[in-house]
Amino acid sequence: MTKADKFLNEVNSSYLKLHKKYEDLFWISYMGDRSVDAKKDKALSQLDTFRSDENLLEQARALHKTAGDKLKLRLQYWIGFFEQHQLPDEAKPLREKIIALETEISKKRSTRTTGYIDSVSGEFVLASELKIQALIRTSSDEKIRKACFEAREKLALDLIEEYVVLVKLRNEFAWSLGFADFYDYKLQKIDRMTKGELFSLFEDVTEKTKSMFSEIRKMEQDIVGLRKPWNFSYYMTGDFTKEEDPYFQFDQSISRWGRSFSALGIDFKQGKLQLDLLDREGKHNNGFCHWPDLVHFDGGKRQSGSSNFTCNVVVGQVGSGVLGYNTLFHEGGHAAHFLNCEQKDVCLNHEYAPMTAGWAETQSMFIDTLFSSIEWKTRYAEDSNGKYYPFELFERKVKKLNIL
């Protein structure tokens, strides 16, 4: 075994263990058990220390000079990986403060009491953030919609002081690395784009769509109160959400998702899936997909990975089931993407840099676009009476919403 082979075995083995330790704790914490937060933060710090290890970078560069073509390419992957995560010593204490504050904010958000004030009784009604959002979209009672909107406005201010400190720390961190701000740092480090390049794309989209705001104002002549923030989504899509709901009952979601993936020829290469799909108190309120066990090679043999993904379906809430379906397709697309990896080096088999955010989202968004298509709906979306999603409903929805 050459020195290069030995080095590659060591960095792959070390990174695999550090990654798994952090991801296992991340899952436990985000699913609602915050007792592991200190261990999670320590594991992340250890992972970051490995990724930014200057000594490992120098070893990879030295071995790259004399390695054969195949090993040279693999060493180049690791050189790029370590280069992308290098940190000067003065930035490391700031990184630790940021990690700790992010965890504090996440814990406060997931453990706070949420709900809205009933406009009739004046009493506080317990409701998760996801249920509050769903009521704004679907409740036929404007007073409830307004109360929920006002509740969200207040929730946005709960942690404002912590967020101000976090933004300040993140920007100080980015400045210490020579970037304009934290957004500039993330964009260049992960997607290797400048803010100018990205914003030019946004400007093009804005120019092509801004005239449509006048169309919405015209619609308000017929739909009084349309532009009130608690009315807009309900008046535009609320009736459609209610009409579509019977076709997306969540108790059928796993079966339909599995049948769809099978028909597409998508599998998970003997990988393991762990799903947590229902909304509950203390749980992180946004869907995601992570991979605690990365696809890797042991003795030349491919070892399957594992994936955890989650969503927050509010049981019995109109409009929530379809969001669960969307998560199964979107996050399931993520899972299939990385569980099908064939790269020998684990730094390439996950969603973190050097993977770009744009590329990481490509497969998942392609799959959830299939789910949103009328072709899928008329083939798989079936109500309890055996009636499939009607094309006429799709046609009405498109005509009303296609103001662009």
Side-chain angles (χ1 to χ4, degrees), residues 242-257:
K242 294 175 185 177
E243 202 171 346
E244 288 178 327
D245 193 65
Y247 301 100
F248 297 102
Q249 294 305 299
F250 196 64
D251 60 357
Q252 298 297 314
S253 60
I254 300 293
S255 171
R256 294 174 184 176
W257 168 59

Side-chain angles (χ1 to χ4, degrees), residues 2 19 56 117 154 220 223 226 236 273 307 362 380:
T2 66
H19 173 90
L56 291 174
I117 304 298
K154 291 178 181 178
E220 195 171 25
I223 309 174
L226 172 65
M236 293 299 290
L273 299 179
S307 176
T362 299
Y380 291 95

Side-chain angles (χ1 to χ4, degrees), residues 136-137 142 145-146 148-150 152-153 220 225-235:
I136 294 172
R137 293 195 310 271
E142 183 175 355
R145 296 198 303 272
K146 184 178 180 181
C148 287
F149 174 81
E150 290 173 346
R152 291 198 71 197
E153 291 277 277
E220 195 171 25
L226 172 65
R227 289 193 296 143
K228 290 180 180 179
W230 53 86
N231 283 341
F232 186 77
S233 61
Y234 173 73
Y235 284 154

Side-chain angles (χ1 to χ4, degrees), residues 118-348:
D118 184 273
S119 61
V120 177
S121 67
E123 294 182 357
F124 183 77
V125 181
L126 281 172
S128 70
E129 289 186 64
L130 276 298
K131 184 167 185 176
I132 289 171
Q133 291 176 32
L135 287 170
I136 294 172
R137 293 195 310 271
T138 63
S139 176
S140 58
D141 188 336
E142 183 175 355
K143 292 179 180 178
I144 291 177
R145 296 198 303 272
K146 184 178 180 181
C148 287
F149 174 81
E150 290 173 346
R152 291 198 71 197
E153 291 277 277
K154 291 178 181 178
L155 287 173
L157 298 175
D158 272 357
L159 299 166
I160 190 67
E161 293 181 4
E162 289 89 340
Y163 278 118
V164 168
V165 174
L166 180 59
V167 169
K168 181 180 178 181
L169 287 173
R170 284 176 169 177
N171 282 337
E172 286 180 5
F173 175 80
W175 295 334
S176 72
L177 300 176
F179 295 93
D181 50 41
F182 188 73
Y183 187 75
D184 182 43
Y185 159 75
K186 292 290 282 188
L187 191 59
Q188 291 201 48
K189 278 289 185 178
I190 295 177
D191 282 294
R192 294 183 277 282
M193 293 179 72
T194 65
K195 289 202 298 184
E197 289 171 330
L198 181 63
F199 291 168
S200 68
L201 299 177
F202 291 161
E203 288 165 2
D204 184 47
V205 172
T206 301
E207 284 298 314
K208 291 177 179 177
T209 60
K210 66 181 182 181
S211 63
M212 294 304 107
F213 288 107
S214 61
E215 297 299 319
I216 293 173
R217 291 189 179 94
K218 291 178 184 177
M219 292 174 66
E220 195 171 25
Q221 296 173 10
D222 298 318
I223 309 174
V224 178
L226 172 65
R227 289 193 296 143
K228 290 180 180 179
W230 53 86
N231 283 341
F232 186 77
S233 61
Y234 173 73
Y235 284 154
M236 293 299 290
T237 65
D239 288 343
F240 292 124
T241 301
K242 294 175 185 177
E243 202 171 346
E244 288 178 327
D245 193 65
Y247 301 100
F248 297 102
Q249 294 305 299
F250 196 64
D251 60 357
Q252 298 297 314
S253 60
I254 300 293
S255 171
R256 294 174 184 176
W257 168 59
R259 285 163 50 210
S260 301
F261 270 43
S262 178
L264 288 165
I266 298 172
D267 69 14
F268 300 97
K269 286 290 184 76
Q270 299 182 321
K272 297 178 182 178
L273 299 179
Q274 181 173 204
L275 282 61
D276 189 318
L277 304 177
L278 302 181
D279 188 40
R280 63 176 181 276
E281 186 177 356
K283 179 183 173 183
H284 184 66
N285 69 350
N286 194 31
F288 64 82
C289 181
H290 281 212
W291 297 261
D293 296 288
L294 301 176
V295 171
H296 61 283
F297 285 76
D298 186 4
K301 185 178 179 181
R302 184 185 185 277
Q303 304 297 312
S304 299
S306 69
S307 176
N308 297 332
F309 69 84
T310 178
C311 65
N312 294 70
V313 172
V314 180
V315 177
Q317 174 62 50
V318 171
S320 189
V322 71
L323 298 178
Y325 276 79
N326 189 75
T327 295
L328 285 168
F329 279 77
H330 182 91
E331 306 300 348
H334 276 307
H337 175 190
F338 288 106
L339 293 180
N340 276 274
C341 285
E342 296 288 344
Q343 297 286 352
K344 290 186 177 180
D345 294 288
V346 293
C347 64
L348 302 179

Side-chain angles (χ1 to χ4, degrees), residues 16-31:
L16 192 66
K17 292 174 183 176
L18 290 167
H19 173 90
K20 178 174 174 54
K21 182 179 180 181
Y22 167 67
E23 290 292 348
D24 283 344
L25 292 166
F26 177 92
W27 177 257
I28 293 169
S29 174
Y30 273 59
M31 292 305 98

